[in-house]
């Protein structure tokens, strides 16, 4: 029997341990897994953690839930590298927070931006363009400056403080995303048109367009990091 997890661990660590048990042949293809209560007791975590771990493994094609019948093994090795899966999930969580902050910031900025705010956003766009030939960190930091300028144009102090607190985590996640997806290998100027369009929408006071552009940009990013393989 696998030793219980003795610390308060995340679902991805529970999934990693279940993955190890699959790889060791504890459950064969077609076998039914023990119930959530049993697995939770074995790993020393809550049922909600087990449920999320099973969902993650199902997302990789390892498990399949059958309505009213339980969870069954589809395969014992992941179709994609597990480390990449976990990195993608961590980045996705950051992107979800970006969606919560930046879409609303775009809406408010379109209604409240001053001429000085628009000038600051356009200067940030120029710095982003100038950062294209630089390293990933310099480019990501320049990219975030555009979004910081949009948030500042929303003229909401709480939103700005929230964004600033989030920036260190955001920076590391976006650098990791660039490396994981090879974003700048395929396109040295990724999403340049999206950023220009966002600034233009805010500058012209088009809140609907600003929201749509911001949401579409972040939704596409989320889909990319969640896509298997």
């Amino acid at each position: 029997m696998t030793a219980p997890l003795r610390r308060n661990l995340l679902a991805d660590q529970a999934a990693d341990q279940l993955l190890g048990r699959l790889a060791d042949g504890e459950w064969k293809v077609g076998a039914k897994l023990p119930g959530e209560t049993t697995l939770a007791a074995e790993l020393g975590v809550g049922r909600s953690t087990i449920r999320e771990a099973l969902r993650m493994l199902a997302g990789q094609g390892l498990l399949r839930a059958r309505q009213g019948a339980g969870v069954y093994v589809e395969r014992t090795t992941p179709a994609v590298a597990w480390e990449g899966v976990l990195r993608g999930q961590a980045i996705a969580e950051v992107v979800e927070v970006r969606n919560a902050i930046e879409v609303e910031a775009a809406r408010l900025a379109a209604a409240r931006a001053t001429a000085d705010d628009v000038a600051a956003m356009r200067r940030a766009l120029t710095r982003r363009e100038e950062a294209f030939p630089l390293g990933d960190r310099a480019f990501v930091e320049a990219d975030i400056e555009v979004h910081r300028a949009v948030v500042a144009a929303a003229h909401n102090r709480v939103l700005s403080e929230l964004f600033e607190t989030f920036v260190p985590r955001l920076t590391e996640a976006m650098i990791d995303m660039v490396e994981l997806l090879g974003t700048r290998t395929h396109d040295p100027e990724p999403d340049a048109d999206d950023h220009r369009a966002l600034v233009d929408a805010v500058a012209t006071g088009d809140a609907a367009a600003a929201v749509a552009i911001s949401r579409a940009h972040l939704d596409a990013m989320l889909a990319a990091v969640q896509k298997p393989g």
Side-chain angles (χ1 to χ4, degrees):
M1 165 116 63
T2 305
L5 298 174
R6 299 191 181 281
R7 294 186 293 120
N8 212 359
L9 301 179
L10 299 174
D12 58 58
Q13 293 172 285
D16 198 33
Q17 196 169 123
L18 292 174
L19 177 64
R21 294 168 70 173
L22 285 168
D24 289 343
E26 181 172 343
W27 302 300
K28 305 296 184 184
V29 172
K32 179 181 178 180
L33 261 64
E36 291 177 2
T37 300
T38 300
L39 291 173
E42 289 176 0
L43 273 64
V45 296
R47 286 182 61 189
S48 61
T49 298
I50 291 296
R51 192 174 301 116
E52 175 64 13
L54 294 176
R55 186 194 67 78
M56 291 165 60
L57 295 177
Q60 298 311 308
L62 290 158
L63 306 176
R64 181 180 296 276
R66 299 180 187 173
Q67 187 67 32
V71 177
Y72 289 80
V73 179
E74 290 283 304
R75 55 186 296 152
T76 57
T77 56
V80 296
W82 187 241
E83 180 183 356
V85 173
L86 297 183
R87 287 173 69 190
Q89 185 186 35
I91 296 166
E93 291 175 352
V94 170
V95 176
E96 288 172 350
V97 175
R98 289 190 69 177
N99 225 318
I101 295 173
E102 294 180 30
V103 172
E104 178 62 9
R107 185 185 71 81
L108 293 174
R112 300 174 179 176
T114 65
D116 286 345
D117 292 327
V118 172
M121 285 185 283
R122 298 210 184 279
R123 286 195 299 271
L125 276 179
T126 299
R127 287 193 293 270
R128 186 179 190 273
E129 293 167 1
E130 292 170 347
F132 289 154
L134 305 180
D136 290 346
R137 179 172 291 276
F139 175 75
V140 166
E141 289 175 348
D143 177 273
I144 290 172
E145 282 302 310
V146 177
H147 299 283
R148 176 183 270 124
V150 173
V151 172
H155 293 279
N156 182 305
R157 286 179 296 176
V158 175
L159 195 61
S160 291
E161 289 170 6
L162 182 60
F163 185 78
E164 289 306 319
T165 301
F166 180 54
V167 163
R169 183 74 174 271
L170 171 60
T171 302
E172 297 309 315
M174 293 303 97
I175 292 170
D176 199 25
M177 185 190 73
V178 167
E179 294 174 352
L180 180 65
L181 301 181
T183 306
R184 300 185 69 217
T185 300
H186 307 306
D187 181 1
E189 304 180 9
D191 304 316
D193 290 343
D194 287 351
H195 287 74
R196 294 188 194 103
L198 174 61
V199 170
D200 287 343
V202 171
T204 58
D206 191 338
V211 166
I213 293 163
S214 182
R215 180 173 288 123
H217 170 62
L218 293 169
D219 284 351
M221 190 182 298
L222 187 61
V225 298
Q226 291 179 327
K227 181 180 178 181

